Amino acid sequence: MGKCELKFVFLGGCSFLGRDIMGKLTEVLNDRGRQIVAGSVTGVRNYIKNINWKQVKANCVAEVKGTFHLRNSMAALAVLLLTSVGVYTFSEKVAATEHVYRVYIDGQYYGVIEDKASIESTIQSLGTEMKAEVIFQPVHQHVSVTNEIHVANAIIESTKEYAEVVVVRVDGRDVVTVQDQETAEKLIARLKDQYVNPNEQEQVSLAETVDFIKVQDEVQKVTSFEAAFQLIAQGVIEQKTYVVSRGDSLWDIALKNMMSVEQLHDANPNIANIDAIGEGQEINLVAKEPLISVQTISEVTREITKNYEVEYRDDSSIFEGQEEVVQEGETGKIKQVVKITKKNGIVLKEDILKEEELAAPVKEIIAKGTKKKPTYGFYNGPVTAIGGGSWAYPVGGGYVSSYYGENRGGRPHLAIDIAASTGTAVYASNSGTVSYVGDAGDGYGNCIRISHGNGIVTLYGHLSSMAVSPGQSVGKGQYIGGVGSTGWSTGAHLHYEVRINGAQINPSPYM
Ligand SMILES: [Zn+2]
């Protein structure tokens, strides 16, 4: 046999194969290179000629996915020769005169080959699967040569074991092969068990037409009960799950698993509120698409509550913006007989067959105020102060920081605040008699009150200093103390109040 050398250089990928597949092919090439080297040019040509390309592609893809059978590797190599951008060179020509061999598989004659090494390699790669006995008988005369790949296929075929098995056919499509009829029936029984509630009378059916077909087929095609069950129940052999860790949001989980939040929802239809998932909870990452669906129809009697109506009535005795409940509402109670149709445990529809009101709901009645709110004080009578009609501004500077009637945490401010720096002079706004000087701990801080007669009193709060004493007569505009922030105050200002017979009125006309 002549010596030749085969070299492959990849310049790019096949158009239909991914990078992994290319890598695999390279591997296959290295493994199998010797076979080709040992073979003849004719042999290589014949490999290529007899290849089922579709099958080869499928096989290469399958190997990358981990289920490749070595018997296909020769064909994979040939793919390289033809479809990849490969460059190969033979350094020497293969000698033309070679031994050829008759091949017998389990005593049966299969044909003549010249590449014995490649067949031996095929046998080796089958490992323990290889059960047939293969004999090579050298032939020295000139005979036409059978294609090696046919012989290799015959050897592979001899490793297969045939038996009666059962194919589960769903809506005319073969989905899985199981050992026997009994196993197939057990599959369906277990599937139904998943969704049937033993406490309810239910009609159970399958949404698809399911047939069990007895066939003679390779024993190797039989799927185990567990795997077959996973397949028909969730459409995939292995369900991927994720255990929620502390602080995981749906968004985090989706991102970590390269999926969308919507896909997460789809994968977990049994979790009513997936946004409220908890630490340690196991959730699905793949949406189940059962190949066979269980439909249940049940009749359920239940009591539900009926919400009450709320009626608003205008009420002129209540201030605007205020409400009063006149009559408390009460929910009613309804008894229903419902036909519930579920598919794989998920409610598809509910038909109400019968309905009976056990208790009528009671309407809630709410009175809504329409009465206008007073803008200030309660005193509307005439005012005549001792000092006459004109009043003095009570501070030597500053600005009004809060008006009368402003909202102060839900209560109106019944005074005027004039913000000014600490120590700014405070004056009596009219002549009168000082009736109080001091801090009563009532929030006003240092406070002076002056009585002006006719029930009119002015009040000066939060003072930093006080220059008058009780009983003292003061004139309009007389200095009585300094602006401060004593008592319940957040900054230096004069809190100026005017009271008529105890009512705090708007001080604006009195300053
Ligand atoms: Zn104030």
Side-chain angles (χ1 to χ4, degrees):
M1 182 175 285
K3 200 177 154 206
C4 72
E5 198 178 88
L6 200 54
K7 235 182 228 170
F8 289 82
V9 181
F10 283 106
L11 302 177
C14 309
S15 60
F16 62 73
L17 298 173
R19 187 182 285 248
D20 286 351
I21 314 259
M22 290 304 293
K24 194 70 230 168
L25 286 174
T26 314
E27 218 176 275
V28 167
L29 168 75
N30 292 334
D31 278 359
R32 299 291 162 220
R34 226 157 32 90
Q35 286 183 17
I36 297 291
V37 170
S40 67
V41 175
T42 331
V44 172
R45 280 208 196 106
N46 282 336
Y47 290 157
I48 295 163
K49 215 165 64 190
N50 287 287
I51 285 158
N52 175 345
W53 296 110
K54 263 192 182 165
Q55 188 58 44
V56 165
K57 180 196 166 192
N59 288 340
C60 293
V61 173
E63 168 161 14
V64 171
K65 287 178 179 170
T67 58
F68 188 72
H69 288 270
L70 283 169
R71 67 192 188 217
N72 299 307
S73 52
M74 281 197 298
L77 169 61
V79 171
L80 281 176
L81 291 173
L82 272 199
T83 68
S84 71
V85 187
V87 176
Y88 61 93
T89 58
F90 288 85
S91 59
E92 277 180 49
K93 287 207 170 169
V94 178
T97 56
E98 280 305 323
H99 281 307
V100 293
Y101 300 88
R102 285 203 179 91
V103 181
Y104 296 86
I105 302 171
D106 281 338
Q108 200 188 334
Y109 172 70
Y110 263 85
V112 177
I113 56 154
E114 50 185 10
D115 184 4
K116 180 167 166 255
S118 84
I119 298 299
E120 279 169 345
S121 179
T122 300
I123 291 168
Q124 208 181 348
S125 65
L126 284 169
T128 54
E129 268 186 66
M130 182 66 199
K131 289 175 187 93
E133 190 190 17
V134 180
I135 293 167
F136 299 95
Q137 196 182 71
V139 183
H140 296 280
Q141 72 222 52
H142 178 81
V143 287
S144 61
V145 170
T146 311
N147 198 313
E148 277 83 351
I149 204 133
H150 290 307
V151 177
N153 280 341
I155 292 170
I156 289 158
E157 196 63 28
S158 76
T159 65
K160 291 177 184 170
E161 207 180 306
Y162 287 83
E164 188 184 82
V165 293
V166 168
V167 172
V168 178
R169 190 170 284 175
V170 180
D171 283 343
R173 190 168 71 100
D174 294 350
V175 295
V176 69
T177 303
V178 293
Q179 200 177 343
D180 50 26
Q181 177 89 14
E182 197 194 332
T183 309
E185 281 165 6
K186 257 168 51 189
L187 276 179
I188 301 303
R190 178 158 158 200
L191 192 68
K192 284 181 175 174
D193 274 354
Q194 279 201 311
Y195 299 114
V196 171
N197 184 343
N199 303 319
E200 279 176 26
Q201 282 237 309
E202 290 176 314
Q203 284 170 257
V204 184
S205 59
L206 298 179
E208 295 82 10
T209 306
V210 177
D211 298 305
F212 303 146
I213 315 292
K214 279 184 189 163
V215 293
Q216 283 287 326
D217 206 343
E218 285 175 57
V219 173
Q220 286 90 335
K221 281 189 184 170
V222 171
T223 304
S224 75
F225 178 80
E226 275 309 319
F229 179 75
Q230 295 303 314
L231 187 67
I232 62 165
Q234 50 193 34
V236 283
I237 298 248
E238 234 178 306
Q239 174 61 259
K240 277 193 203 159
T241 57
Y242 177 85
V243 178
V244 179
S245 43
R246 186 183 293 255
D248 263 347
S249 73
L250 270 196
W251 174 253
D252 294 329
I253 299 171
L255 201 69
K256 278 184 202 169
N257 296 286
M258 305 212 292
M259 56 197 293
S260 71
V261 172
E262 200 176 50
Q263 283 171 320
L264 265 186
H265 278 287
D266 290 346
N268 299 276
N270 52 328
I271 301 176
N273 183 9
I274 197 172
D275 298 297
I277 46 169
E279 187 186 355
Q281 192 170 346
E282 197 175 71
I283 61 169
N284 294 329
L285 294 180
V286 181
K288 285 185 187 179
E289 281 173 50
L291 300 181
I292 304 174
S293 294
V294 178
Q295 197 164 291
T296 57
I297 299 174
S298 57
E299 235 180 74
V300 175
T301 303
R302 65 186 181 192
E303 277 182 20
I304 58 163
T305 56
K306 189 175 177 184
N307 288 339
Y308 54 80
E309 284 175 46
V310 179
E311 188 190 299
Y312 287 93
R313 288 179 187 165
D314 285 349
D315 190 327
S316 62
S317 70
I318 303 169
F319 282 122
E320 268 182 339
Q322 287 177 339
E323 291 179 356
E324 263 173 39
V325 176
V326 178
Q327 180 181 288
E328 295 270 3
E330 261 175 57
T331 54
K333 208 177 259 178
I334 290 172
K335 188 174 163 183
Q336 283 182 334
V337 180
V338 199
K339 187 172 103 177
I340 300 174
T341 307
K342 291 182 192 173
K343 190 176 173 186
N344 296 332
I346 293 160
V347 176
L348 284 190
K349 63 172 181 162
E350 290 190 358
D351 301 305
I352 297 167
L353 304 178
K354 224 162 72 181
E355 203 168 49
E356 189 191 334
E357 192 177 72
L358 301 178
V362 176
K363 192 194 280 182
E364 180 157 297
I365 300 169
I366 295 172
K368 210 174 166 196
T370 56
K371 189 178 169 183
K372 292 268 181 255
K373 266 192 179 170
T375 45
Y376 61 87
F378 308 104
Y379 177 79
N380 292 314
V383 178
T384 318
I386 284 171
S390 79
W391 291 70
Y393 199 71
V395 197
Y399 60 95
V400 174
S401 58
S402 180
Y403 286 96
Y404 181 81
E406 273 183 16
N407 188 350
R408 282 283 176 86
R411 287 169 151 207
H413 181 230
L414 299 176
I416 280 180
D417 285 349
I418 299 151
S421 52
T422 302
T424 305
V426 174
Y427 307 113
S429 55
N430 215 327
S431 55
T433 308
V434 176
S435 56
Y436 176 84
V437 178
D439 184 348
D442 52 3
Y444 287 111
N446 291 329
C447 180
I448 294 170
R449 279 186 233 155
I450 298 170
S451 176
H452 304 281
N454 289 335
I456 302 175
V457 172
T458 52
L459 182 151
Y460 311 81
H462 309 311
L463 301 173
S464 59
S465 61
M466 297 182 285
V468 290
S469 31
Q472 185 183 332
S473 286
V474 288
K476 184 164 83 176
Q478 185 179 328
Y479 174 79
I480 57 170
V483 169
S485 189
T486 55
W488 303 337
S489 166
T490 51
H493 75 281
L494 173 70
H495 175 95
Y496 179 62
E497 251 176 50
V498 180
R499 297 176 177 185
I500 296 179
N501 297 328
Q504 294 152 292
I505 63 156
N506 190 347
S508 343
Y510 304 93
M511 55 197 280

